[in-house]
Amino acid sequence: MNDKDYQAILAKLTLDEKVCMCSGSTTWLTQPIKRDDVDIPAVRMSDGPVGLRREKMSGGVNIMQIPEPATCFPGAVTTASSWDEDLIEEVGHAIAVEAQSLGVSTVLGPGVNIKRSPLCGRNFEYFSEDPFLAGRMGAAWVHGVQKTNVGTSLKHYLANNQEYIRMCIDSIVDERTLREIYMPAFEHIVKTEHPTTVMCSYNRLNGTYLSDNKRFLTDVLRDEWGYKGIVVSDWGAVNNRAEGIKAGMDLEMPGGKGIGFNGNNIYNALENGTLTEEDIDKVVLRLIKFAYENKVREVDGVTYDVEEHNQIARRAAEGGAVLLKNDGALPLKANQSIAVIGKLAKKLRYQGGGSSHILPHKVTSFLDALDNAGQKYEYADGYTLKGEGYKKSLIKKAVKAAKGKDAVLLFIGLTDAFESEGYDRSHIKMPTSHVTLVNELLKVNKNVIVVLSCGSPVEIGEWDKGVKAILNVYLGGQAGGEATYNLLYGKVNPSGKLAETFPVCENDYLGSKYFRMGPRTVEYRESVYVGYRYYDSAKK
Ligand code: BGC
């Protein structure tokens, strides 16, 4: 099929059919049109960057539905630290194969928003504070997915760097800062990988919602960068549908039966002359092309080896782990006696919360990995995963287990409550119970090795001095425990490097001062001084 064929199909559509096509038919499907001589297929989309979240039934939004099991790979925060494009491409490719096996034709990722501040609750889904790195890593992911003929959605475009009132916050950003920090990752991926879709974000940018922002959706994205794919709204991000059509926002998601949630707005605008059928045609022509090129793929025939994908997930976790400190305590030797302390060793925190949250095929915790390797250890919880407060009884048991051991492997970090899509962090400190635990253990054993799990930087200044080593495994995906075992015992060399700055203290960072603004606007007053650009300039 070529452009002429798509034009011919467009010419056959009624106005009502065109309006229907401007939004999806369910939460995840685009609107098919089937009658006499028209047969436009539907496109099925699913989240998301860490693995496939194909829901068993359509209808409902996000985490309310039960997903099909899939491989949970490490998130962008982890894979970015590998700085390894081949590895990220391999992850993308594996996700695409899983998408094909479940009839999904577009995977909603990658997220390439810049980590403006460690306080953003969704940072674990993003690659870096640096636009060049975010662009290169995101491009590798898109390449891996699209080479399998599965589509992607480059998100969330643009200046969506916080979760706090993300649906309506107005990001006030000057042109230089946009061009140097917030746009380049998108620009690079659009120009080099041609993602099938770009997802516009919920927020406003300099006064205008992205979903009806002609400047960024058409003048920049299409006219400057040459984008030929479609723009899809983040789920529920549509402000004014008719304005969106004029601005180049092709597809409203999710959708419903018929003309969807905002079809009336389109008819009203046609009636009062603020929108023309030609405006609609431009959008619908792109949607027809998209539907034919990305139609739901056949489920039959595509299968994958679950264990093979588990090994890719393990290698990605190993590649992204960063050895933050090592005074010679690592690697461990098999004959050393060890205490393993911390609930996170038993109940691995391997992914973040929100729309990227998936149902993994299996999860290997660190304790599972030790058991599989036949390694002896003494274990104590040390803390509970609920709340921050510590329990004296748990600390006492941990101290007892640590006494006299050659090494103490202490698993600490952020629990689910501290970070997620949907809200920001109120501080970047570690849970108090974890800090207390470090300090109590150091009183009885000098050989404490910390394994850190988190989706975004934490302050380490309060507790890092006395410990012998810190291995940051971030959120390692379903095989994170196995990867951690391999890294600690020297089967694999930890070779990741941070893709973001860990501030000694939150207030050292200028961006923290301007992060929480409000009530309806956030001014990016730190300008281009994001992450290391600030610390280097301020000599901090
Ligand atoms: C998220 C997107 C996601 C979409 C569909 C939105 O709330 O911001 O990243 O792709 O939901 O689940």
Side-chain angles (χ1 to χ4, degrees):
M1 299 255 273
N2 58 32
D3 285 352
K4 255 183 150 176
D5 300 320
Y6 301 135
Q7 285 279 5
I9 295 168
L10 176 70
K12 290 182 196 165
L13 297 183
T14 64
L15 177 64
D16 287 349
E17 286 168 334
K18 292 176 191 173
V19 174
C20 283
M21 281 193 72
C22 291
S23 64
S25 64
T26 68
T27 307
W28 305 114
L29 287 172
T30 62
Q31 181 74 57
I33 308 279
K34 272 192 199 312
R35 63 167 165 85
D36 330 323
D37 53 348
V38 182
D39 186 6
I40 302 176
V43 175
R44 178 176 287 282
M45 309 181 191
S46 284
D47 279 305
V50 306
L52 197 72
R53 190 167 63 86
R54 161 79 151 96
E55 290 176 345
K56 286 194 170 137
M57 312 172 272
S58 54
V61 188
N62 293 344
I63 43 183
M64 304 310 288
Q65 299 287 321
I66 301 164
E68 300 275 0
T71 309
C72 182
F73 296 92
V77 63
T78 315
T79 55
S81 309
S82 73
W83 298 60
D84 184 343
E85 288 162 296
D86 293 341
L87 185 65
I88 294 177
E89 184 178 325
E90 203 181 341
V91 168
H93 174 72
I95 292 173
V97 171
E98 297 194 19
Q100 283 179 316
S101 80
L102 290 171
V104 170
S105 38
T106 295
V107 185
L108 302 175
V112 298
N113 296 92
I114 294 300
K115 300 181 192 205
R116 178 176 170 237
S117 157
L119 291 167
C120 173
R122 206 176 178 180
N123 274 358
F124 60 85
E125 251 188 88
Y126 302 138
F127 290 102
S128 181
E129 66 192 22
D130 181 74
F132 180 77
L133 184 62
R136 290 286 289 264
M137 300 297 113
W141 195 93
V142 172
H143 195 81
V145 175
Q146 293 198 169
K147 75 180 180 194
T148 315
N149 221 7
V150 169
T152 56
S153 196
L154 183 63
K155 66 190 189 183
H156 310 87
Y157 181 70
L158 181 65
N160 171 204
N161 308 96
Q162 65 184 53
E163 294 300 284
Y164 174 64
I165 51 170
R166 63 172 176 162
M167 297 280 186
C168 56
I169 190 83
D170 191 2
S171 302
I172 308 295
V173 198
D174 66 84
E175 187 69 14
R176 176 185 169 200
T177 304
L178 280 172
R179 296 274 172 182
E180 290 186 21
I181 305 291
Y182 296 100
M183 286 159 72
F186 289 98
E187 178 178 2
H188 173 72
I189 299 169
V190 163
K191 287 182 171 169
T192 58
E193 297 300 334
H194 319 290
T196 49
T197 80
V198 168
M199 187 188 290
C200 77
S201 53
Y202 290 116
N203 53 293
R204 288 175 285 167
L205 173 52
N206 296 332
T208 309
Y209 279 100
L210 263 306
S211 68
D212 42 51
N213 199 316
K214 178 176 172 293
R215 168 149 197 247
F216 290 102
L217 300 190
T218 296
D219 304 352
V220 169
L221 186 63
R222 297 186 192 282
D223 298 348
E224 268 187 48
W225 299 348
Y227 184 59
K228 299 272 185 287
I230 67 150
V231 175
V232 57
S233 70
D234 197 345
W235 268 230
V238 165
N239 173 48
N240 178 325
R241 190 66 192 103
E243 286 305 310
I245 287 173
K246 285 193 284 183
M249 212 294 284
D250 303 299
L251 179 63
E252 171 175 7
M253 289 300 284
K257 282 212 169 72
I259 59 169
F261 302 115
N262 288 301
N264 280 336
N265 176 267
I266 300 177
Y267 285 115
N268 291 343
L270 282 169
E271 217 170 282
N272 67 28
T274 52
L275 184 76
T276 65
E277 193 162 344
E278 287 73 57
D279 295 326
I280 300 177
D281 283 353
K282 272 194 205 159
V283 159
V284 174
L285 186 62
R286 288 196 288 258
L287 288 170
I288 294 172
K289 184 168 186 261
F290 174 66
Y292 279 98
E293 290 181 351
N294 296 274
K295 64 176 182 284
V296 175
R297 292 176 210 294
E298 291 305 319
V299 181
D300 293 350
V302 180
T303 55
Y304 63 95
D305 184 334
V306 170
E307 190 44 40
E308 211 175 274
H309 281 202
N310 186 59
Q311 294 309 322
I312 299 173
R314 174 187 53 75
R315 282 194 286 109
E318 289 166 356
V322 184
L323 188 61
L324 295 177
K325 174 178 184 177
N326 185 18
D327 286 351
L330 293 177
L332 293 165
K333 291 177 199 70
N335 60 7
Q336 280 176 293
S337 64
I338 54 165
V340 180
I341 314 286
K343 198 74 192 267
L344 288 167
K346 194 175 192 176
K347 203 162 180 310
L348 189 69
R349 180 151 182 261
Y350 56 97
Q351 65 176 331
S355 59
S356 68
H357 196 273
I358 71 157
L359 180 66
H361 284 297
K362 67 168 186 179
V363 178
T364 310
S365 72
F366 182 66
L367 294 191
D368 296 335
L370 287 179
D371 293 339
N372 294 343
Q375 183 71 44
K376 290 206 167 22
Y377 59 90
E378 190 173 340
Y379 169 76
D381 280 347
Y383 50 84
T384 66
L385 292 177
K386 282 196 196 113
E388 284 209 51
Y390 59 91
K391 278 198 177 148
K392 273 193 183 149
S393 58
L394 293 181
I395 295 199
K396 227 168 129 188
K397 279 187 194 154
V399 166
K400 193 165 163 241
K403 265 188 196 157
K405 296 292 186 309
D406 292 336
V408 177
L409 307 184
L410 175 57
F411 285 70
I412 51 175
L414 297 181
T415 56
D416 279 325
F418 281 77
E419 50 184 352
S420 169
E421 176 182 341
Y423 55 87
D424 291 320
R425 299 163 70 191
S426 50
H427 60 78
I428 65 163
K429 289 188 187 305
M430 293 272 281
T432 46
S433 53
H434 297 206
V435 176
T436 310
L437 188 58
V438 183
N439 293 326
E440 290 304 312
L441 291 174
L442 281 171
K443 289 181 190 162
V444 298
N445 195 317
K446 293 289 160 232
N447 210 18
V448 173
I449 294 157
V450 166
V451 178
L452 189 61
S453 305
C454 53
S456 193
V458 288
E459 283 185 9
I460 57 178
E462 284 178 321
W463 53 268
D464 69 315
K465 301 287 176 299
V467 305
K468 283 276 156 55
I470 306 173
L471 179 68
N472 175 17
V473 295
Y474 277 122
L475 305 179
Q478 66 177 45
E482 213 180 328
T484 305
Y485 170 79
N486 288 345
L487 292 158
L488 292 177
Y489 279 88
K491 316 254 178 243
V492 180
N493 203 25
S495 52
K497 293 145 198 86
L498 293 177
E500 62 190 339
T501 309
F502 271 53
V504 174
C505 153
E506 184 190 324
N507 292 336
D508 278 352
Y509 185 45
L510 181 66
S512 303
K513 196 167 153 195
Y514 304 127
F515 186 73
R516 289 191 200 92
M517 288 192 121
R520 289 271 177 260
T521 54
V522 52
E523 294 168 13
Y524 287 37
R525 288 193 200 169
E526 72 285 358
S527 170
V528 296
Y529 297 101
V530 174
Y532 69 85
R533 286 170 167 77
Y534 171 71
Y535 298 106
D536 283 354
S537 315
K539 302 208 178 350
K540 285 192 180 175

